[in-house]
Amino acid sequence: MKMEQNSTLFIIFLLSVIHGFVFVHALRGASPEKALKLKLIHRYSPHYNGLHGDEKPKNQQELLRLLHRHDVVRHQMISYRRQQQEEESLLDAEEVILNSSRIAARRMAWEKRGSMAMPISSGSDYGWGQYLVKIKIGTPAQKFLLVADTGSDLTWINCRYRCRNRCEKHQGRLQQKRVFHAELSSSFKTVPCSSKLCKVGLWTMYLDGTHAFGLFANETVWVSMASDRRTKLENVIVGCTDRTKGGGGTGSIRHGDGILGLGFGRNSFATKASLNFGGKFSYCLVDLQSPKNVSNFLTFGGHKSARLQKPMTYTKLVIGDSEDKGSFYGVNVQGISVGGKMLDIPPRVWDENLKGGTIVDSGTSLTFLKVPAYKAVMKVMTMALSKVKKLSPDNDPFDFCFSSKGFNKSLVPKFAIHFADGAIFEPPVKSYALDVADGKMCLGFVPTNVGPSVIGNIMQQNHLWEFDLGRRTLGFAPSTCT
């Protein structure tokens, strides 16, 4: 199958890959030189100069507060979208359009109920991911910095396309951002309005009530190979957002020019790129305070050059045949152990059919646990740390903080997530006993009453994570990420 396929063939071929493994296995022998490799830049990295007036946190304590605020917004968005996707999977495209007002009203009501009384600055953060990638779109290529988001199956950019006066109203809100000029690209081809994608339309409503409108198109994305050779992916579905309406915010993303959709879905960039590079993608995340010469990478295809400290461990990846389970990457968790002992946690906590379940998300920083699991973990952890000097959390978003003076990490019991098929993920202590300030540490778990438990990117650090969409497996192993 050539990369220059049309969108119809692409959808048919995707379904054949998801239900069978012939094509995926055929590419498993591809050399790492044929892999697609993108550098991931954390928006609060000390080695990143920022974009669009970003303000850097002054210290680690302020950073964790910012990350927590972002995570709460994102978790609300994830929880609502899972509920919305369950509803919309029962509707066809026409019904989605007819019921859009009802869906919007329900969204607003849900957000008010699930706000957790958290003050959210209007227009400052909409719960998108934390990592950015440099990418080129169109012919000739135009440069952009997009938020890499495993929670979104849609790639979209701020865009101008035959909008005339409409764009003039939008201009003030985008004057500090890069804008894709679609009319200058010879490879920009709008999606025909006879398609389901067009009927549903590009319509996004942000947490402050702002609506973003636009259209879908097939476009060419230019990327660099692991061998530094440049290549292109053709007929990538891209959302072109050309105007906003309502709300009090910017109606856009503060930290980037758009979204690179890495969630699961027939139209996501992750699925499109994976089909051309072995049916899988992976990433390895390092600590924010790592040296400048150590980077995060997102790779499509082989990762033989990655330095693994242990062999890869695999567990089942919970994804649907299309979008029926949403764009998130779920895992089947059986339980949690602390200090080598399994905790007494109700099985319903891990059952997504009972509004539970667990997802692995690169866009959430901290790890969220449903309240029964959170209480069980914190009870054992705090008992083990009963002899350390306890400190007031103050304005820190954690329930248990303690003095790190003379602290030995061996005092913190080992935390491990046990998957239903026997795989075990045991992160290093520094991934959940967090340095918050000079002389102060906190247990970095966050309780939630709604939505799924989430394995966040701090918990994922210093591991290689492989998402094999063909085999439907999630692989992980400790790694130096170099």
Side-chain angles (χ1 to χ4, degrees), residues 1 64 75 99 141 156 164 170 242 251 274 276 327 348 355 382 401 443 447 453 467:
M1 178 68 70
L64 287 170
H75 194 266
N99 287 277
W156 66 265
R164 299 179 182 175
H170 199 43
D242 59 13
S274 295
N276 291 284
S327 55
R348 60 181 172 80
K355 306 301 180 184
T382 54
C401 298
L443 295 179
S453 295
F467 297 76

Side-chain angles (χ1 to χ4, degrees), residues 145-207:
L145 192 62
L146 303 184
V147 176
D149 192 355
T150 53
S152 175
D153 59 353
L154 172 64
T155 295
W156 66 265
I157 49 177
N158 294 311
C159 179
R160 301 269 173 81
Y161 181 70
R162 298 181 181 177
C163 46
R164 299 179 182 175
N165 294 334
R166 205 174 45 189
C167 279
E168 292 179 5
K169 295 177 182 179
H170 199 43
Q171 185 175 5
R173 303 186 178 195
L174 294 180
Q175 59 186 355
Q176 293 183 330
K177 296 177 178 287
R178 299 183 184 93
V179 176
F180 179 65
H181 295 276
E183 292 175 334
L184 300 181
S185 173
S186 61
S187 52
F188 185 86
K189 297 179 177 62
T190 58
V191 172
C193 274
S194 58
S195 68
K196 178 180 178 180
L197 191 63
C198 179
K199 287 180 180 179
V200 174
L202 176 53
W203 178 85
T204 304
M205 183 172 143
Y206 298 96
L207 289 175

Side-chain angles (χ1 to χ4, degrees), residues 333 335-337 367 369 415-419 423-427 455 459:
V333 173
I336 290 175
S337 67
T367 290
L369 296 175
F415 170 88
I417 298 175
H418 297 250
F419 298 101
I424 301 175
F425 169 54
E426 187 176 292
I455 302 173
M459 193 74 78

Side-chain angles (χ1 to χ4, degrees), residues 46 50 64 67 92 116 151 215 218 238 249 261 286 296 298 324 329 332-333 351 356 362 386 397 410 427 436 443:
L64 287 170
L67 294 179
D92 61 25
M116 299 175 62
L215 52 86
N218 285 293
V238 175
V286 297
N296 308 288
L298 169 67
D324 59 317
Y329 295 104
N332 288 323
V333 173
D351 191 342
S362 66
S386 60
S410 64
V436 174
L443 295 179

Side-chain angles (χ1 to χ4, degrees), residues 228-256:
D228 292 330
R229 181 174 59 86
R230 193 173 76 155
T231 188
K232 62 182 178 180
L233 294 175
E234 296 182 319
N235 295 316
V236 175
I237 293 291
V238 175
C240 173
T241 303
D242 59 13
R243 59 194 170 103
T244 59
K245 181 180 179 181
T250 62
S252 189
I253 293 180
R254 182 178 180 180
H255 297 274

